[in-house]
Amino acid sequence: MYPADAEFGFELLVCRWAEESWPPDGERDSAVLVARQLGTKRRRWDTVVVECDSAGLAARAAFGDRTLDSDLLHVVRNAPEEWAWYRDALPHPGYPWRYVRAAVHRAAGRGVVEKRRRGNRIEIRRIAPYPDWVRRIVAVENKPDLDASAARALSDQLERDVETGLADEVWVATTATGRRVEPALLEDVPVEVGILTMSFDPDERAWATADVEWHPSDVTPADDDADRETTRLKLAERAYGKGWRSFHETMRPDCRHFELRRFGGVTGRSPVGCRGSLGSVLVPHCAAKGRSQTAAECAGSCPDFEPEPPAWRTRGWPIEGGPGKAIRRLLGDRRERVRERETERTG
């Protein structure tokens, strides 16, 4: 099955499967970045798959491994090849120039543009052209138990996803039941939305498999517009910087009960600092609860929360901190390894 009977554990496994095996019904011909809990003010998706141009993704690396927010994108995408006053070089953003000036300073501080002062004016110059690296964006809703009530709750959201066309494809991922006709096919899901049934067995070599029960329609609008492309680029940038392993940012790996356990390929606890196989996935586990916890449970308000003992941070651990910080580094390293692997793909 999957860690804990919770949507969170299912979601992590779907993300790891997509990182390895996307697309579900063909050969990969593009680089792929996967993120979770990403969207806009009005809509948040469980899993987002960004299909990328490999060369473009490699060029994007020149701007660092952190997300470029909308203000920084405005500066970076429009920075000139030669030195110019920033107000001449950048299109008017629709808000006061003082905010643009602040973004210029931030961009220069991060090394994504060059900046100099000429008299009373601030001039900028690009470090490299910002690449066209995003091909397609795919949204996946994760519902391990897609019964009639869950389908009804999702239906309106999925209809809006199809109508707005912010994502090029929309899928629902659910647990395979093994029945001749999967129940998901009989529920009230828009016909434009694809249906994936997922099977997980941590003891098998191919620990995660997916079957396409229904193929999605391409919902990309025929008449694309600049606002849609800008929003998609913001989403892709957040996926680039955040990924799906960022759950440690909202959980408490500094708790003495917080562990990472390997699911798939090898059973048992995965020691902090292990490299392991990219075919497996490291999922949170709470020693106090004796199971995988949900993201909502793992917070400072948890009655079982106990800070790491100070001795853990000094006895046998790097000077940078104890197991909690080591977990953060491990997850960050894995994200970076996958990103590097994807930039080397030819597509």
Side-chain angles (χ1 to χ4, degrees), residues 202-223:
D203 298 323
E204 291 294 325
R205 183 173 180 83
W207 63 271
T209 57
D211 291 311
V212 179
E213 304 295 336
W214 187 262
H215 288 271
S217 302
D218 190 320
V219 296
T220 309
D223 298 322

Side-chain angles (χ1 to χ4, degrees), residues 78 80 84-92 97 121-124:
N78 297 289
W85 182 35
Y86 77 95
R87 289 182 64 163
D88 284 343
L90 306 178
H92 197 289
W97 281 106
R121 292 188 169 185
I122 296 172
E123 295 184 341
I124 60 173

Side-chain angles (χ1 to χ4, degrees), residues 57 333 335-345:
L57 185 62
D333 289 346
R335 178 179 58 192
E336 184 62 29
R337 286 170 59 198
V338 172
R339 187 191 290 153
E340 290 175 358
R341 180 193 69 187
E342 294 301 307
T343 61
E344 295 171 359
R345 290 187 183 274

Side-chain angles (χ1 to χ4, degrees), residues 264-293:
V266 179
T267 58
R269 181 176 181 178
S270 178
V272 172
C274 74
R275 297 187 67 83
S277 166
L278 285 176
S280 61
V281 58
L282 298 177
V283 297
H285 182 88
C286 177
K289 294 179 174 61
R291 58 175 173 81
S292 290
Q293 69 279 45

Side-chain angles (χ1 to χ4, degrees), residues 152-171:
R152 284 195 298 271
L154 267 180
S155 182
D156 288 345
Q157 295 178 344
L158 295 173
E159 288 282 4
R160 285 195 293 272
D161 292 340
V162 171
E163 291 170 2
T164 58
L166 187 57
D168 299 284
E169 278 182 6
V170 182
W171 293 79

Side-chain angles (χ1 to χ4, degrees), residues 100-126:
V100 180
R101 187 169 61 248
V104 166
H105 290 311
R106 281 202 298 129
R110 283 179 49 174
V112 295
V113 297
E114 293 181 308
K115 177 190 74 172
R116 72 181 184 184
R117 183 176 290 276
R118 300 271 294 185
N120 293 325
R121 292 188 169 185
I122 296 172
E123 295 184 341
I124 60 173
R125 182 174 67 180
R126 72 188 187 195

Side-chain angles (χ1 to χ4, degrees), residues 164-239:
T164 58
L166 187 57
D168 299 284
E169 278 182 6
V170 182
W171 293 79
V172 172
T174 188
T175 306
T177 65
R179 300 178 192 174
R180 187 174 63 84
V181 177
E182 287 289 341
L185 284 170
L186 306 177
E187 303 300 350
D188 188 20
V189 175
V191 295
E192 297 89 351
V193 175
I195 298 176
L196 283 174
T197 51
M198 309 294 302
S199 302
F200 303 109
D201 188 340
D203 298 323
E204 291 294 325
R205 183 173 180 83
W207 63 271
T209 57
D211 291 311
V212 179
E213 304 295 336
W214 187 262
H215 288 271
S217 302
D218 190 320
V219 296
T220 309
D223 298 322
D224 215 350
D225 61 75
D227 288 342
R228 176 179 179 272
E229 282 306 303
T230 299
T231 302
R232 286 161 52 83
L233 185 56
K234 292 177 188 175
L235 285 172
E237 274 289 337
R238 289 172 60 197

